[in-house]
Amino acid sequence: LNNGIRPMSGTSMAAPAVAGYAARVLGNNASLLTASRDDARAKAILKAVLSHARSLGFPSDCQGKGMLM
C-alpha cells in the first residue's frame, strides 16, 4: 500500500465507468434516450457503447471488450 492507495481491477472497478459512459451515450442520443424500454433499446445501447471499445491487444478474458475511447 502506498498511503492507503493501491491498484485495483476487475468488473467491480469497470462497472461504474461503463455505466457512466452508457449514460453519456444516452445523453448524446435523444432517440435512444426516449425509446421504449425494451430489449431492442438495450441492444442498441450496448451496440453504441461497444462501438467505442478498442482492444488493448490482450485476450478477451484479460481485457473484456477493451477500453472505452
Side-chain angles (χ1 to χ4, degrees):
L1 291 177
N2 182 14
N3 294 323
I5 299 171
R6 66 185 177 102
M8 299 180 77
S9 64
T11 55
S12 61
M13 296 293 100
V18 174
Y21 200 89
R24 184 174 160 194
V25 167
L26 280 173
N28 290 327
N29 189 329
S31 64
L32 270 179
L33 186 61
T34 59
S36 297
R37 294 184 177 195
D38 58 12
D39 191 53
R41 179 181 186 234
K43 287 178 181 175
I45 294 169
L46 179 62
K47 182 178 178 181
V49 170
L50 291 181
S51 73
H52 295 277
R54 301 295 176 260
S55 175
L56 300 173
F58 299 104
S60 63
D61 62 334
C62 294
Q63 71 169 17
K65 295 291 185 181
M67 179 181 285
L68 291 172
M69 304 299 252

